[in-house]
Amino acid sequence: MSKLRIAVQKSGRLNEDSMRLLKDIGIYIDNGKDQLKASAKGFPVEVFYLRNGDIPQYLKDGVVDVAIIGENVLIEKGNDIKVAEKLGFSTCRVCIAVPKSSNYNSIKDLEGKRIATSYPNTVQMYLDKSGVNANLHIINGSVEIAPNIGLADAIVDIVSSGSTLFKNNLKEVEVILKSEAVLAVSPILSEGKQAILDKIQFRIQSVLKGRQSKYILLNAPNHKLEKIIDVLPGMKSPTVVPLAEEGWSSVHSVISKNEFWDVIEELKSNGAQGILVCPIEKMVL
């Protein structure tokens, strides 16, 4: 059987998050230091460790079959490549930043100005949509220093925490796009490899659903059971088991981690006791 070739970033945070996801879906990679390619144990997959910016072209050419890549890179260099799955990690945003001393009111203030960036296609699309003409300076590397050395009036770059902008006396003024890691697919994919990808996607979806949810167990007085069940959406309906102590039941359910604290507070106000919350490794619906 031919192997599915998966590209991941060769180093950095995205690499770590990608390898953790592969491990969570049961794909174990035996890779040594500085290895550019490695095979999975017991699964028809090869992992290629590549420069992030090179991956879109490798997908287009069919050198790799799928990739875990930042959505921002795909938009810049391969916006015609299909995204099979959004993965929910390695989140960031592509932003316009200007010196803190600048009197910035709107994107129109960049008319005729110089913008330094590593994302010229993304920036040009945004400027065209906004009806603004500006001069782009393409910089591969640290663009934050460009305003300080007089090379540009503004920059466009990836922002996670904003600390790098702060250190360089810059302020964020526009968000061009929000990005996360995605599973991207080559347009040149055989039927056999699509079958392998389908299995991988099923596993990824199970892991992502688990990460987004919490398993909750609690004790409830029977006279408050109906109200407590109304608070818990669950997968279909909560599991209710009578306790040895008369008049009490144990309730088991699944809740979204985004609603966690609101749900917990409502449960307590309705008489729930002994609330236990557990992480979910995988969730298959």
Side-chain angles (χ1 to χ4, degrees), residues 94-270:
V94 178
C95 297
I96 299 175
V98 299
K100 287 181 181 176
S101 58
S102 297
N103 183 19
Y104 184 93
N105 297 303
S106 75
I107 188 68
K108 300 294 184 185
D109 291 339
L110 295 181
E111 179 71 33
K113 298 293 177 67
R114 301 163 299 164
I115 303 174
T117 186
S118 303
Y119 298 92
N121 295 328
T122 303
V123 177
Q124 193 61 60
M125 284 188 288
Y126 187 78
L127 293 175
D128 290 346
K129 187 175 71 173
S130 304
V132 172
N133 292 306
N135 301 310
L136 300 187
H137 290 259
I138 302 171
I139 297 179
N140 294 315
S142 300
V143 300
E144 295 88 0
I145 64 168
N148 291 331
I149 61 176
L151 183 63
D153 304 296
I155 69 161
V156 174
D157 202 12
I158 290 177
V159 176
S160 294
S161 66
S163 61
T164 304
L165 295 181
F166 181 80
K167 289 174 187 174
N168 286 276
N169 207 31
L170 299 171
K171 61 183 178 182
E172 181 182 323
V173 292
E174 301 277 348
V175 177
I176 290 181
L177 63 90
K178 293 182 178 179
S179 173
E180 63 185 271
V182 297
L183 186 69
V185 183
S186 169
I188 310 167
L189 193 68
S190 69
E191 193 173 317
K193 289 187 176 182
Q194 180 64 54
I196 302 171
L197 176 58
D198 290 342
K199 289 182 180 180
I200 287 174
Q201 271 193 265
F202 171 75
R203 295 185 183 193
I204 287 175
Q205 289 164 2
S206 298
V207 168
L208 295 182
K209 286 187 181 84
R211 289 180 180 179
Q212 293 159 7
S213 306
K214 298 285 187 184
Y215 190 76
I216 185 168
L217 304 88
L218 58 90
N219 297 329
N222 288 345
H223 68 282
K224 293 283 189 74
L225 205 51
E226 192 173 331
K227 285 186 177 179
I228 286 172
I229 288 173
D230 285 343
V231 175
L232 294 168
M235 294 169 69
K236 285 191 177 177
S237 64
T239 300
V240 180
V241 181
L243 290 177
E245 184 177 342
E246 191 174 341
W248 285 81
S249 296
S250 175
V251 181
H252 301 214
S253 190
V254 174
I255 60 175
S256 166
K257 70 174 187 179
N258 296 326
E259 302 170 352
F260 173 75
W261 288 113
D262 290 336
V263 171
I264 293 295
E265 287 168 9
E266 199 168 349
L267 288 170
K268 282 182 64 65
S269 69
N270 280 293

Side-chain angles (χ1 to χ4, degrees), residues 20-61:
R20 187 179 301 115
L21 177 64
L22 291 178
K23 185 177 178 182
D24 286 348
I25 65 171
I27 296 178
Y28 299 95
I29 310 297
D30 206 359
N31 62 311
K33 183 174 172 56
D34 299 326
Q35 203 170 346
L36 296 178
K37 184 177 77 168
S39 294
K41 295 178 182 177
F43 201 85
V45 158
E46 281 183 319
V47 173
F48 288 67
Y49 302 93
L50 304 171
R51 285 181 65 251
N52 215 26
D54 294 338
I55 291 175
Q57 191 61 51
Y58 285 137
L59 284 167
K60 289 178 183 178
D61 295 341

